[in-house]
Amino acid sequence: EPEVTQTPSHQVTQMGQEVILRCVPISNHLYFYWYRQILGQKVEFLVSFYNNEISEKSEIFDDQFSVERPDGSNFTLKIRSTKLEDSAMYFCASSEWDSGNNEQFFGPGTRLTVL
Amino acid sequence: DAKTTQPNSMESNEEEPVHLPCNHSTISGTDYIHWYRQLPSQGPEYVIHGLTSNVNNRMASLAIAEDRKSSTLILHRATLRDAAVYYCIPEGGFKTIFGAGTRLFVKA
């Protein structure tokens, strides 16, 4: 069964450093998403991406965040200058069509620890 | 974004049916009702979704009220593996807002 993969599984970084979290969505999917989950809290929507453009973003997704689909397979989330409060699990998801009438497939997540 | 109300937690015995309720009285007419779950230390997992009619799949059934202001996820025979947080999400596309969900405990 096809699945979404994410690398690395755990990333430790120093405050102020840039990090790039990588995701490989399911190959025929066209819509891509990033979420985060701070330990013990709910899953929070960050951004959705379609046709090489951001479709929707939340208030969390400020200028420190960016997304890119650099090639036909990867989907990345960049945090330019990490803060302590960016420590969280980051989940990537993809769907074949927009998420209204379609299921999203989630990856296993990347645990980001900012020291 | 439509608000949802779900019980904080529910408990079930293994092999028994579970009915997980959700109130979404402010749902828009075009939003689908999605259910996802999150097992411990995993990413969310799709369960089922529907618009107006009741839906069945291999995981669960979804009963949607006629006025669409509430829905119920039905697990026909709970197993220990079904212990998870279940999220009811009105979804219009492009932006999926998770609430706190219902934590389901399953007793052997």
Side-chain angles (χ1 to χ4, degrees):
Chain A
E1 188 173 318
E3 58 182 18
V4 175
T5 58
Q6 292 185 242
T7 53
S9 56
H10 190 188
Q11 172 96 44
V12 181
T13 189
Q14 295 291 324
M15 191 169 56
Q17 295 296 303
E18 174 184 286
V19 294
I20 297 176
L21 309 183
R22 290 183 166 78
C23 169
V24 178
I26 293 172
S27 61
N28 63 329
H29 285 187
L30 301 176
Y31 294 77
F32 315 110
Y33 315 84
W34 281 102
Y35 299 83
R36 79 172 186 190
Q37 187 173 32
I38 295 169
L39 186 63
Q41 298 187 23
K42 62 183 182 181
V43 177
E44 297 176 290
F45 170 82
L46 293 178
V47 66
S48 59
F49 190 85
Y50 167 69
N51 199 25
N52 283 318
E53 289 184 347
I54 290 175
S55 302
E56 289 272 0
K57 60 182 181 179
S58 70
E59 291 175 355
I60 302 167
F61 194 88
D62 61 22
D63 292 344
Q64 291 300 308
F65 291 88
S66 62
V67 288
E68 193 178 29
R69 188 151 163 83
D71 53 43
S73 59
N74 290 285
F75 180 51
T76 62
L77 175 70
K78 183 194 290 187
I79 309 175
R80 288 191 181 79
S81 177
T82 50
K83 308 187 202 60
L84 294 176
E85 53 264 37
D86 293 327
S87 295
M89 282 291 286
Y90 287 81
F91 296 107
C92 171
S94 70
S95 61
E96 192 172 359
W97 298 105
D98 78 78
S99 53
N101 189 20
N102 281 273
E103 63 181 283
Q104 292 178 59
F105 292 79
F106 284 78
T110 293
R111 179 171 299 284
L112 177 64
T113 301
V114 182
L115 303 176
Chain B
D1 301 328
K3 291 196 186 313
T4 59
T5 304
Q6 296 181 255
N8 291 332
S9 65
M10 291 184 65
E11 198 173 83
S12 170
N13 293 317
E14 203 177 6
E15 304 293 316
E16 289 185 359
V18 183
H19 290 232
L20 297 162
C22 180
N23 183 294
H24 34 74
S25 58
T26 60
I27 192 170
S28 83
T30 55
D31 281 354
Y32 285 79
I33 299 154
H34 285 244
W35 284 80
Y36 284 81
R37 72 180 185 180
Q38 189 173 23
L39 278 63
S41 302
Q42 294 189 28
E45 175 187 32
Y46 169 81
V47 178
I48 200 166
H49 78 283
L51 185 62
T52 55
S53 305
N54 294 345
V55 185
N56 300 296
N57 66 19
R58 63 176 177 80
M59 287 182 73
S61 295
L62 176 60
I64 301 172
E66 202 169 323
D67 62 6
R68 291 192 2 105
K69 292 184 177 181
S70 64
S71 61
T72 302
L73 179 70
I74 302 162
L75 306 178
H76 295 287
R77 290 178 66 193
T79 68
L80 296 178
R81 197 198 170 274
D82 292 321
V85 180
Y86 286 79
Y87 302 97
C88 156
I89 306 172
E91 168 72 65
F94 297 115
K95 190 175 182 181
T96 305
I97 305 300
F98 286 78
T102 296
R103 184 173 294 278
L104 177 65
F105 297 94
V106 181
K107 295 189 296 183

